[in-house]
Amino acid sequence: MTKKERAAAVTELLKSVYPEAVCALHYTHDYELLFATRLSAQCTDARVNIVTEKLFKQFPTLQSFADASEEEIAEAIKTCGLFRTKARDLKACAMMLIANYGGRVPDTMEELLKLPGVGRKTANLILGDVYHTPGVVVADTHCIRITGLLGLTDGSKDPVKVEMQLRRVLPPEESNDFCHRLVLHGRAVCRARKPDCPNCTLRPWCDHFQKNA
């Protein structure tokens, strides 16, 4: 069986278990997803959602972020960790979106990567969830770890390498939802410290399960 065939089989299994493939971050406007993803660095999605519920009320528009001081934003996001750096990026990003893009989040990888604090993970998430462009969101260690166990990648821990390897084997139309489902699976079943292998739908394809069966 080729890696593409394996990827297709895993994709269908994940779809059966997690039919609703949704982003774990809460947002209304495209820039809110951009900002929430920046806040999620070294922070849980659950914590980010708690913070952004108040943050987006305190700063209800992109202009309000641009007008706020870094200190004001930092105070609002301080429980997310790295809050001073993130506050600087949020303000600078808001100013750049207004000045260069008419207040609209750009829709290409090249332009997204020009924004302060935006890397390929964030860019892929925006392209997939906002613009419905096929992308591979290597959002956290779940994706890196599980795709390695499933033999879809060579076990690399480098997010960019994992993204490129997955692009070669995943059906493009399924890639965005595949990544969301993999995160859900990593949190619910394939937990790094205590994987629930007996109840894992993906165990026929998992190297870890086969070695320890």
Side-chain angles (χ1 to χ4, degrees):
M1 176 176 281
T2 67
K3 283 190 176 182
K4 283 190 175 182
E5 292 170 334
R6 177 180 285 254
V10 169
T11 296
E12 290 306 310
L13 285 172
L14 286 172
K15 288 169 70 173
S16 69
V17 179
Y18 310 101
E20 297 296 326
V22 295
C23 179
L25 297 170
H26 299 165
Y27 69 98
T28 300
H29 305 292
D30 52 6
Y31 73 85
E32 291 180 349
L33 177 58
L34 188 73
F35 288 2
T37 308
R38 179 66 186 97
L39 294 179
S40 70
Q42 298 186 32
C43 185
T44 66
D45 290 346
R47 167 55 55 185
V48 171
N49 287 334
I50 292 172
V51 170
T52 56
E53 183 178 5
K54 296 179 180 179
L55 178 70
F56 295 150
K57 290 178 181 178
Q58 183 177 350
F59 305 103
T61 65
L62 197 57
Q63 189 65 55
S64 65
F65 274 99
D67 292 339
S69 67
E70 289 183 21
E71 291 74 18
E72 288 175 317
I73 299 173
E75 181 63 27
I77 65 172
K78 64 190 307 181
T79 60
C80 282
L82 303 176
F83 60 93
R84 290 188 179 87
T85 298
K86 292 175 181 178
R88 180 195 65 204
D89 287 344
L90 262 57
K91 178 178 174 62
C93 191
M95 294 174 67
M96 189 171 179
L97 288 173
I98 293 170
N100 296 1
Y101 300 99
R104 178 175 174 272
V105 175
D107 59 0
T108 67
M109 176 68 74
E110 180 182 8
E111 294 301 314
L112 283 165
L113 292 178
K114 294 178 181 179
L115 299 173
V118 174
R120 291 190 65 86
K121 177 195 81 171
T122 301
N124 273 308
L125 184 62
I126 292 295
L127 292 174
D129 280 46
V130 175
Y131 294 109
H132 308 294
T133 301
V136 177
V137 183
V138 182
D140 55 20
T141 55
H142 292 307
C143 184
I144 294 173
R145 177 174 54 83
I146 298 174
T147 53
L149 292 174
L150 296 173
L152 301 181
T153 68
D154 63 6
S156 172
K157 305 301 181 184
D158 184 307
V160 176
K161 289 182 179 178
V162 171
E163 177 193 335
M164 296 308 166
Q165 289 177 36
L166 290 177
R167 282 184 180 275
R168 290 195 288 268
V169 300
L170 288 172
E173 68 278 7
E174 299 284 359
S175 59
N176 298 318
D177 288 347
F178 174 89
C179 294
H180 286 319
R181 291 185 173 108
L182 210 59
V183 170
L184 294 173
H185 189 68
R187 292 173 180 170
V189 180
C190 191
R191 298 178 292 274
R193 294 184 180 180
K194 193 176 180 181
D196 187 10
C197 295
N199 293 309
C200 180
T201 305
L202 304 181
R203 61 183 181 273
W205 310 104
C206 179
D207 289 343
H208 174 78
F209 180 79
Q210 297 301 329
K211 290 177 182 178
N212 293 278

